[in-house]
Amino acid sequence: MSITLYHQPLSPFCRKIRIILGEKKLPFESVIEMPWRQREEFLALNHGGTVPVLIDQDGTIVSESAVIADYLDEVYPDNSVLLGGPAQRAEIRRIAQWYDLKFDAEVTKLVLFEKIDKRLMKLGEPDMQTIRAGIANLPYHMDYLNYLCEQRHWLAGEVFSLADIAVAAHLSSIDYIGDVPWVHFPQAKEWYARVKSRPSFRPILADFVPGMPPPRIYADLDF
Amino acid sequence: MSITLYHQPLSPFCRKIRIILGEKKLPFESVIEMPWRQREEFLALNHGGTVPVLIDQDGTIVSESAVIADYLDEVYPDNSVLLGGPAQRAEIRRIAQWYDLKFDAEVTKLVLFEKIDKRLMKLGEPDMQTIRAGIANLPYHMDYLNYLCEQRHWLAGEVFSLADIAVAAHLSSIDYIGDVPWVHFPQAKEWYARVKSRPSFRPILADFVPGMPPPRIYADLDF
């Protein structure tokens, strides 16, 4: 039995797991799941009804992206995304969590829900005020990212890690809509170009929502 | 140098770390920090400005309770709160995260902010509608807790873990205000009585907010 991943292409939380699987060179069966449809078979896997959900080769079912990330690194330790001593691992987790909770609440959720999910869910027109509020919160977070990139080669230190993966997952989802002001944040842009060129990132750059093509720069390594 | 913990007594996230330190029998210097005061020295430790923040014996600074929990278990593996194989650890983390994110957003944050934080912050009268909304969300979560307690001795299996600690931390904070309807959830109540009797929980039961004494049942082992 191979690994199965239930996911939604533009969800940063699902992208995080797809990139980890790519880094570890673990092939997986991809099941596109729109969580708002609340399919009974899917709810049986995860009562919470959220994506991603991973079913491992031995049948173990794991939900919640932060939990899946730790699980995968424990079961498949090759090409670890949590490499280092306890302090280093804490720094990796701190940055990943900052984006998964704070950046998500202040930017991703506002922009992505209005521009993408609402359309897929047929909930009517996007609310421009909510989108503008999300976009307005971006520079503060980009400043911090730029600052980290000035200090370090990768976000949590010298090694590519879950921190880079989580941050790139969120920014790539916003980038699909074309709203990341890369030009004002050169160090962050240089970091993102390096992330984009990793083989694990290729499937992300190939994502395509029918009727909503990404801007040209989305998949471009020279953006 | 001993461990230092910056914390706020009724914060479930801080209680989680205090209980872990208790389980591991690690003494620590306690610094009560009201994060809304935004003390400069505190912000220098954690730009995010949230409690808890832990300074380890070697000077390592760790913030975010989920990150601190993993860090402590890696540096001080005795009396692990994340015991078991990858699947077991995933189940522990899933339950802890459910309470730290979902229960917190739907119950703790609403009730605790209105009843306690607002008063400490001198932000005026609590909003009764918000409190009622939080309390109204409790039975759904208590049902799930009761269900878990019917299946297992401890919440994630046969061993006391971070799952029990996270859930008890949240419920103990609500319990300080006296709003947990234990009588309707006998298995959950029986579980909480066992948690309450652990030595690591004693400092939690001794907490006292000046001018806001807890109800008698709060510290009572026979509630």
Side-chain angles (χ1 to χ4, degrees):
Chain A
M1 195 169 139
S2 70
I3 295 173
T4 304
L5 184 70
Y6 292 77
H7 70 107
Q8 200 196 340
L10 291 192
S11 152
F13 300 98
C14 298
R15 289 183 159 204
K16 196 168 70 178
I17 302 307
R18 288 163 65 200
I19 300 165
I20 294 172
L21 290 166
E23 287 290 326
K24 293 181 177 291
K25 299 183 178 60
L26 293 167
F28 63 96
E29 198 190 320
S30 159
V31 181
I32 306 290
E33 184 72 42
M34 298 298 157
W36 51 82
R37 292 202 184 136
Q38 306 205 297
R39 282 199 311 127
E40 237 171 84
E41 304 97 292
F42 180 65
L43 289 175
L45 296 175
N46 175 16
H47 293 285
T50 56
V51 283
V53 171
L54 181 136
I55 307 183
D56 200 359
Q57 299 175 66
D58 66 354
T60 302
I61 302 165
V62 195
S63 56
E64 294 300 325
S65 74
V67 178
I68 299 172
D70 270 306
Y71 172 85
L72 284 174
D73 221 59
E74 290 178 11
V75 178
Y76 305 102
D78 281 0
N79 300 318
S80 172
V81 296
L82 279 156
L83 215 57
Q88 174 65 24
R89 287 160 62 90
E91 176 65 355
I92 294 171
R93 290 191 162 111
R94 181 189 70 80
I95 295 172
Q97 190 179 302
W98 177 273
Y99 278 80
D100 280 350
L101 299 185
K102 208 161 161 61
F103 185 87
D104 184 62
E106 296 177 359
V107 183
T108 318
K109 207 173 270 170
L110 307 185
V111 177
L112 225 62
F113 178 79
E114 291 297 331
K115 281 211 182 175
I116 304 279
D117 294 359
K118 224 170 159 176
R119 175 164 174 161
L120 294 172
M121 295 163 85
K122 299 191 170 49
L123 283 182
E125 288 302 304
D127 178 54
M128 291 314 292
Q129 209 171 338
T130 303
I131 294 171
R132 271 195 296 269
I135 299 292
N137 290 333
L138 248 176
Y140 159 73
H141 289 283
M142 292 300 290
D143 260 338
Y144 180 57
L145 180 63
N146 213 51
Y147 164 81
L148 287 179
C149 294
E150 277 166 10
Q151 318 292 315
R152 308 159 171 180
H153 187 65
W154 295 109
L155 296 187
E158 292 313 304
V159 181
F160 182 80
S161 74
L162 179 62
D164 301 284
I165 295 171
V167 178
H170 280 274
L171 288 175
S172 68
S173 293
I174 307 286
D175 215 33
Y176 188 95
I177 308 167
D179 283 324
V180 181
W182 292 112
V183 65
H184 302 302
F185 304 95
Q187 277 80 12
K189 182 179 171 179
E190 195 267 322
W191 162 84
Y192 190 56
R194 272 186 284 126
V195 176
K196 265 180 148 175
S197 68
R198 292 179 83 87
S200 65
F201 217 71
R202 263 178 228 150
I204 304 297
L205 299 179
D207 276 337
F208 189 91
V209 180
M212 306 188 72
R216 188 194 57 78
I217 58 104
Y218 171 71
D220 204 335
L221 293 185
D222 185 23
F223 53 105
Chain B
M1 195 169 140
S2 71
I3 294 172
T4 305
L5 184 69
Y6 293 77
H7 70 106
Q8 200 196 337
L10 290 192
S11 151
F13 301 99
C14 299
R15 289 182 158 205
K16 196 169 68 178
I17 303 307
R18 289 162 66 200
I19 299 166
I20 294 173
L21 290 165
E23 287 289 327
K24 293 179 177 293
K25 299 182 179 59
L26 293 166
F28 63 96
E29 198 190 319
S30 159
V31 181
I32 306 289
E33 183 72 40
M34 298 296 157
W36 50 81
R37 293 201 184 137
Q38 304 205 300
R39 283 197 313 125
E40 237 172 82
E41 304 98 289
F42 180 67
L43 288 175
L45 297 174
N46 175 16
H47 293 285
T50 55
V51 283
V53 170
L54 180 135
I55 307 183
D56 200 0
Q57 299 175 64
D58 66 355
T60 302
I61 302 165
V62 195
S63 56
E64 295 300 326
S65 74
V67 178
I68 299 172
D70 269 306
Y71 172 85
L72 284 174
D73 221 60
E74 290 178 11
V75 179
Y76 306 102
D78 282 0
N79 299 321
S80 172
V81 296
L82 279 156
L83 215 56
Q88 174 66 22
R89 287 161 63 90
E91 176 66 356
I92 294 171
R93 290 190 161 111
R94 181 188 71 79
I95 294 171
Q97 189 178 304
W98 178 273
Y99 278 79
D100 280 351
L101 299 185
K102 208 161 163 62
F103 185 87
D104 184 62
E106 296 177 358
V107 182
T108 319
K109 207 172 270 169
L110 307 184
V111 176
L112 225 62
F113 178 79
E114 290 297 332
K115 282 210 181 175
I116 305 280
D117 293 358
K118 225 169 160 178
R119 175 165 175 161
L120 294 172
M121 295 163 85
K122 299 190 172 45
L123 282 183
E125 289 301 306
D127 178 54
M128 291 313 292
Q129 209 171 338
T130 303
I131 295 171
R132 271 194 296 269
I135 299 293
N137 290 333
L138 248 176
Y140 160 72
H141 289 283
M142 293 299 289
D143 260 338
Y144 181 56
L145 180 62
N146 213 51
Y147 164 80
L148 286 179
C149 294
E150 278 166 8
Q151 318 292 314
R152 308 157 170 180
H153 187 66
W154 294 109
L155 296 186
E158 292 314 303
V159 181
F160 182 81
S161 76
L162 180 62
D164 302 283
I165 294 171
V167 178
H170 279 274
L171 288 174
S172 68
S173 294
I174 307 287
D175 215 33
Y176 189 94
I177 308 166
D179 283 325
V180 182
W182 292 113
V183 65
H184 301 304
F185 304 96
Q187 277 81 11
K189 183 179 171 176
E190 195 267 323
W191 162 84
Y192 190 55
R194 273 186 282 127
V195 176
K196 264 180 148 175
S197 67
R198 292 179 83 87
S200 65
F201 218 70
R202 263 178 228 148
I204 304 297
L205 298 180
D207 276 338
F208 190 91
V209 181
M212 305 187 73
R216 189 196 55 80
I217 59 104
Y218 170 72
D220 204 334
L221 293 185
D222 186 23
F223 52 105

